Amino acid sequence: MVTNRIHLVLRYVGLSAVLAVMVFPILWMFRVSLMPAGAAVGFGDLFSTGVTLTNFIDLFRQASIGRFLFNSVLVAVVVTVANAFFCFMVAYALARYRGLAGRIMFVTVIVVLMIPAHILIVPLYVLMLKMGMYDTYWALMLPWLVNPIGIFLVKQYLESIPPDMEDAARIDGAGELTILFRIVMPLCKPALAVLAIQVFFTNWNLFLFPYILTSSESLRTLPVALAHFQGHQAIDWQHLMAGSAVAVIPVLIAFGFLQRHIVSGITAGAVKQ
Amino acid sequence: MKFVVFLFLILVAANVTADTTLRWWQFWTDPAIKPTIETIVDEFEQANPGINVELTDLTWANGHEKIVLSLASGTGPDVLELGSDWIAQFAANGHLADISSMIADDSSAFQGWSMADYDDKIYAFPWILGTRVLFANRELLTRAGYDPDFVPVTWDDLKQSAAAVSALGSGVYGWGSNAAEKHRLYKKFLPFFWSAQGQIFSDNGQHCVLASTYAIDALQTYKDLHDSSGYVANQRGIEDAFLEGKVGFVLSGDWLLKRIELEKHKIDLVSTLMPGPTFIGRSFMGGEFLAVTEASEQKEAAMKLIRFVTSPKNQVRFCKANRSANPSSIVAQTDEYFSSNIHLQTFIKQIPMSNHPPVDPDWVFIENIIEEAIEESLFESGGVAEPLRKARGKIAKLKSQ
Amino acid sequence: MKRSRLIGLLLLLPWLITFLVFWFFPLVFSLLAGFTDYSLLSRAGMEWIGWDNYRGLLADEDFHSALKNTFIFVIGSVPVTTVLALLMALLVSRRLPGRSLFRAGFFLPSITSMVVIALIFTNLYQRGGYVATLATMIGFVPPEHGFLYSSSTALYSIMAMDIWMSVGYYMLIFLAGLKAIPIELYEAARIQGASSTRQFFSITLPLLRPVALFIVVINSIKSFQVFVEIFVMTKGKFDTASMVYFIYDVGVTTAFQFGYASAAAYVLFLIVAAFAALQFLLLRRRQPIW
């Protein structure tokens, strides 16, 4: 009993130490975003300097940050929802139908991942121009609707789930679509939650593609807008960190919302016990 | 129904009047300066009915990718803002219009033409020039035992006072030494190089003479400053440290004044001309230029826009909003705004005592070779002469291809 | 059986369409460009030059050092990240008050933009900065000019940051993988008297294999393409230039030699593909490769 308690304390001490290392730079970011402009950002200054919201107020007053937030949310939500469905469908096909076509498809998935995006962006730019999608919302969303990493993730996850339940349902005469969306998809919830988080934050932070594939101010997403907010040499830490904090908060909310599905999966297992 | 007809009439009318759309790509997007750019564009449109300006913003970090992609795909703008170092490369590849015949009457009213002069043709219009001057933190100098009036005039003054500031210890350094960046370090070294009468190419342009004794002297001085009192970071890191009172001297541009004002830094600032080996030396000059693209079908209208943006009045407005020190217009330079501020005065005085890099389509490569030589001498133990000799060899090889 | 194959193909459609419309042309274009002298700035058009670009890469010292740096980066960071992520997942997978707080905290770095993280760490790594102070406290002499401005520490500092940033994401995937393990297996093992160490090695680890494979492959592919942190922090100086930094520098910003850069991109592709195939072989011994 005593050793158990010592174990628990030790575990908390360990976890807290790791937690401190993991969150310190992010806390530093929030702290600096609340400092008056021009303040020093050394360790001592973190405690001695006052707290102000002016950086955030400046940000919302000087730029159409509402519009940029809207664009970011719109693009990230559409892309995330699309990925949850499409990646699941493709991954299921790849995991369960191991034909030649499936293998070829899986190779294309991996190949797209392995070629550096900085080379692909040049022809993609030309393609977008030719298709008339340059500088539209389509350019921000369509290429990302099916994320190769997502396909791979869900496929790997599906392979660790035995197909017994599907086979049983099939014997009972259930249709393929019913099996797919009613039986298999709920089983994949933890993986789909991870996928959604991954897709959401990748898209949320995407800079180069949206920057190159659009030019209008009204289509800017947050990362692109933040890059424009920087002057020739002149953006101070406080405003930069305030902008970054604005960009982090929605992802945090999305994470809090989605991580419950991973947690709920685990507790469901515990209840079974 | 009436409303639809009305709408239709408006659309038709708009089509009749706005028969020309000029596309202008520019870099000035931060909140301090963007409204001024927009105002200038609005006034241009009012003064020129029938011309519509479509403004597109570029970021400083990734603007060139976008420019090059648009030029490569033939979808470039009509008017393009370009840093002076890029003009030759773009002009040599046929992307910029030769505007020599359209600027004859302006040539004496503006400075900076030589930076846009490639192959005896002018490819861009000077807008805002930029030079570097020496900034010092007076408080640190006084603490290091210097008179409040002291400014370094020679390299020895600079080395000694920087070392004295470094000797104060407790995280204070004498000199901001650039690293971990491109396109910056050479702008810090070349002032020393030019002050020592160094040249990159011989007068006839045939030979690379980067490794002359002058050059070795200059690099040795730069290395001494770095070794004895250097705080190493990228430009922004150096300036952050300077503004926090941790660095005695930095060689910097007018944006530092903008930062001090907008970010409300409290610093006892001294600005002075670039020191030389025995007396005041020479500094680096570059600038932002406006070019008309070769693909533009509205070159006349594009020139109209350029003239409007670079008019003395609009240059002064731009400089006031951006705290820029060096308008290209000579009339604009006489504005009271510049004479009323001692730091801006330093920049105005530095302009005639500054050089610009050769206008060479390969400059971005040459620049890179020079920066690698400086880095080698600062961060590896190879002395200064050998890296310069190697760099000379590389440049000679590049030019012979 | 015929019907289900048809459905399989239908399910593949979303990927088929996006791939053919958006990615097929860029892939083929850059593959072909690798055999030409295509330069983005040149108006002269492009000329077929065969294997010249690939031969040029063989002799290019900058390319060699980019290769070397990239390999150090991958070999150093992928195993460390994987092991740390697994340990963290095990620590927070058991029921424990405050568990979701720890989870969210561990995950926090990986949802922040890499550009912002890199800027923050540039500050933390500087001379006399936080990391240098910590290093001095544990008796380590920090490099004179700060961690990023020395060839002996710069790449490793960036690697450390990268591990710090990505470990939370892989932890989450391990968590999802742990969930997929049927609880009955542990019950059966416990009845047979297997110790928890034994359970870990004979149940947890083998069943995590598909997920671990995913993590190792994805992390390797991503690490082979390390770019943003180098672009923001060191611009490839102090022996930090990676393959993608080289490709980007040569192809899209300084030299605009798109053909040459494309060739380098395909060399990188071959290396990554070989690496991934090896990982598939090693981690999936019992099943066919695809």
Side-chain angles (χ1 to χ4, degrees), chain B residues 69-272:
Chain B
L69 280 177
S70 75
L71 294 176
S73 59
T75 52
D78 299 290
V79 177
L80 185 58
E81 177 185 348
L82 273 184
S84 50
D85 289 350
W86 296 84
I87 295 172
Q89 198 183 23
F90 286 8
N93 282 293
H95 290 293
L96 303 183
D98 171 11
I99 56 169
S100 315
S101 60
M102 298 193 252
I103 51 140
D105 36 330
D106 296 312
S107 49
S108 58
F110 294 89
Q111 280 182 322
W113 293 111
S114 57
M115 286 185 266
D117 183 341
Y118 173 67
D119 231 3
D120 293 324
K121 294 183 195 94
I122 302 290
Y123 285 98
F125 203 109
W127 183 17
I128 301 297
L129 307 178
T131 186
R132 309 286 181 274
V133 303
L134 188 68
F135 287 103
N137 181 330
R138 196 193 329 251
E139 191 208 322
L140 290 180
L141 279 175
T142 325
R143 264 171 58 200
Y146 281 85
D147 203 73
D149 297 334
F150 168 82
V151 288
V153 177
T154 66
W155 287 352
D156 284 340
D157 291 348
L158 179 60
K159 277 197 277 191
Q160 282 159 16
S161 48
V165 170
S166 268
L168 290 171
S170 64
V172 170
Y173 305 92
W175 168 253
S177 184
N178 285 73
E181 256 175 323
K182 293 192 164 197
H183 317 304
R184 301 250 196 249
L185 178 55
Y186 81 92
K187 292 175 182 168
K188 300 307 173 73
F189 167 65
L190 287 184
F192 288 87
F193 179 76
W194 284 321
S195 298
Q197 299 172 22
Q199 282 179 281
I200 297 168
F201 294 108
S202 59
D203 286 334
N204 61 11
Q206 297 291 306
H207 307 286
C208 179
V209 291
L210 185 69
S212 64
T213 49
Y214 305 119
I216 292 170
D217 260 10
L219 187 51
Q220 188 61 53
T221 304
Y222 191 85
K223 183 174 162 60
D224 289 347
L225 270 171
H226 167 90
D227 287 348
S228 69
S229 34
Y231 175 83
V232 178
N234 57 22
Q235 182 70 21
R236 180 174 154 160
I238 290 172
E239 283 163 13
D240 284 343
F242 180 76
L243 295 174
E244 284 182 19
K246 294 200 291 192
V247 171
F249 292 101
V250 291
L251 201 53
S252 187
D254 47 14
W255 60 81
L256 192 65
L257 301 171
K258 182 178 175 181
R259 281 196 70 177
I260 291 173
E261 191 184 330
L262 294 182
E263 298 168 25
K264 308 180 188 77
H265 290 282
K266 290 178 194 67
I267 182 165
D268 192 356
L269 189 73
V270 181
S271 62
T272 185

Side-chain angles (χ1 to χ4, degrees), chain B residues 65 94-95 173 182 230-231, chain C residues 41 43 126-127 237 248-249:
Chain B
E65 284 98 303
H95 290 293
Y173 305 92
K182 293 192 164 197
Y231 175 83
Chain C
L41 267 187
R43 302 183 76 187
Q126 71 187 352
R127 184 178 195 167
K237 308 282 182 178
Y248 173 80
D249 193 41

Side-chain angles (χ1 to χ4, degrees), chain B residues 56-75:
Chain B
T56 299
D57 299 335
L58 301 168
T59 64
W60 291 101
N62 296 83
H64 280 109
E65 284 98 303
K66 217 161 164 167
I67 291 175
V68 170
L69 280 177
S70 75
L71 294 176
S73 59
T75 52

Side-chain angles (χ1 to χ4, degrees), chain A residues 29-234:
Chain A
M29 172 181 94
F30 281 105
R31 177 66 191 97
V32 171
S33 74
L34 293 169
M35 282 182 170
V41 295
F43 193 75
D45 309 301
L46 295 186
F47 305 100
S48 61
T49 315
V51 169
T52 168
L53 280 174
T54 45
N55 306 312
F56 290 92
I57 295 167
D58 288 350
L59 220 57
F60 279 88
R61 210 177 34 205
Q62 284 172 340
S64 1
I65 210 146
R67 173 76 193 215
F68 307 146
L69 257 173
F70 169 79
N71 289 341
S72 275
V73 171
L74 177 74
V75 171
V77 167
V78 169
V79 170
T80 306
V81 171
N83 267 285
F85 278 95
F86 292 153
C87 290
F88 171 70
M89 285 161 59
V90 178
Y92 181 78
L94 291 178
R96 296 290 189 257
Y97 303 88
R98 292 156 172 275
L100 181 67
R103 282 178 207 189
I104 294 171
M105 290 292 278
F106 187 60
V107 172
T108 66
V109 168
I110 299 287
V111 165
V112 170
L113 275 178
M114 287 176 178
I115 302 279
H118 292 90
I119 274 300
L120 300 182
I121 197 168
V122 173
L124 186 63
Y125 169 86
V126 176
L127 192 67
M128 286 291 178
L129 280 171
K130 295 269 186 267
M131 294 195 295
M133 289 187 192
Y134 175 75
D135 204 23
T136 64
Y137 278 113
W138 302 120
L140 296 176
M141 298 175 183
L142 289 185
W144 318 115
L145 290 185
V146 196
N147 179 339
I149 297 187
I151 296 176
F152 188 19
L153 169 73
V154 181
K155 173 182 172 283
Q156 291 307 100
Y157 194 81
L158 273 167
E159 283 178 359
S160 67
I161 301 176
D164 312 351
M165 274 172 98
E166 299 151 44
D167 293 341
R170 217 165 269 138
I171 290 163
D172 290 349
E176 288 297 320
L177 287 181
T178 317
I179 294 173
L180 185 64
F181 290 107
R182 291 275 163 80
I183 295 173
V184 186
M185 203 169 181
L187 285 176
C188 287
K189 226 159 125 196
L192 290 176
V194 174
L195 161 80
I197 292 169
Q198 138 91 21
V199 169
F200 188 88
F201 90 79
T202 312
N203 258 275
W204 187 263
N205 289 328
L206 209 56
F207 168 73
L208 198 65
F209 280 87
Y211 174 70
I212 297 283
L213 298 180
T214 67
S215 60
S216 306
E217 190 171 348
S218 58
L219 286 174
R220 275 180 207 160
T221 56
L222 266 184
V224 180
L226 283 179
H228 282 90
F229 206 60
Q230 306 198 25
H232 185 194
Q233 301 273 349

